[in-house]
Structure formats: structure tokens, C-alpha cells
Amino acid sequence: MQNRWKNSADQGSNRSPNAPKRIGGVLDRLVVSLGIARRYYGWQIVANWDKIAGEQAARVSQAVKFEDGVLFVAVPSDSWRQELAMQSDAILANIRRFPYGEIVTQVRFVRSEKGI
């Protein structure tokens, strides 16, 4: 009896046409075909803000919006807005380390009216 769960590399060219296929890249192709790639990738950066900003900055800030290449980050006070604005070059460098990070052209720090 043939083992159906063997690694495809072990099976060589005897791979069944009904075998599962990798779907990597399908989502990327879909968002591009729908014309929403720029917004989708920008929102991926928003979703990963805590990894981008670092532990200390992530505790006091939250990425809240992506629009026309601008990432909007809410902060609780003017002092934090100034502090993070001084780190904006390093933050943009961290953003660009992520896939599609080049979609962000500017980070704008805004006061959060109700806190974060």
C-alpha cells in the first residue's frame, strides 16, 4: 500500500495530480488583481505596529490608519509625539524591513483624544 502522506520530495516525479498544492502567493495575486494591494499592504504594517515600534514605543502608541502612503500613529501626549517623531527615521527603517514596507512613505504621529 502506498503511503499517501509522504513528503512530496520523497515521491519524486510520481506525485499524483490530485496531491495538495502549495497556495503561497495566492493572496498576493488576489489583492493585486482586485486593485487593493496598496491599501492591503499598508494595513499589514498597521497590524504589525508592535513589532515595528519596539516594546517601549508600542506600549504608548498605536498605529491607527494607513492612507495614501502615510501611516498614522496615535500617541497619548505631545511629549510622546515629539519623542517618536525624533525616532521617525529609525521607525521608517524598521517598517521597510517588513515585506511591502516601502508602501509607507511617511509616519505621522497624532494625539489620541481618548488615550490608547
Side-chain angles (χ1 to χ4, degrees), residues 34-70:
L34 293 173
I36 61 170
R38 187 171 174 79
R39 286 180 297 179
Y40 173 78
Y41 297 132
W43 282 100
Q44 288 296 313
I45 298 298
V46 170
N48 285 291
W49 175 249
D50 58 334
K51 296 174 190 149
I52 291 166
E55 187 178 331
Q56 182 181 11
R59 275 186 287 177
V60 297
S61 64
Q62 181 178 358
V64 293
K65 182 167 89 170
F66 174 79
E67 187 176 286
D68 297 326
V70 180

Side-chain angles (χ1 to χ4, degrees), residues 45-103:
I45 298 298
V46 170
N48 285 291
W49 175 249
D50 58 334
K51 296 174 190 149
I52 291 166
E55 187 178 331
Q56 182 181 11
R59 275 186 287 177
V60 297
S61 64
Q62 181 178 358
V64 293
K65 182 167 89 170
F66 174 79
E67 187 176 286
D68 297 326
V70 180
L71 178 66
F72 291 86
V73 178
V75 295
S77 67
D78 289 332
S79 60
W80 272 111
R81 183 173 59 186
Q82 183 176 358
E83 174 68 28
L84 293 177
M86 289 189 298
Q87 298 176 29
S88 63
D89 288 340
I91 290 170
L92 269 173
N94 287 344
I95 289 170
R96 296 210 170 102
R97 287 187 184 108
F98 275 75
Y100 310 107
E102 71 277 355
I103 204 86

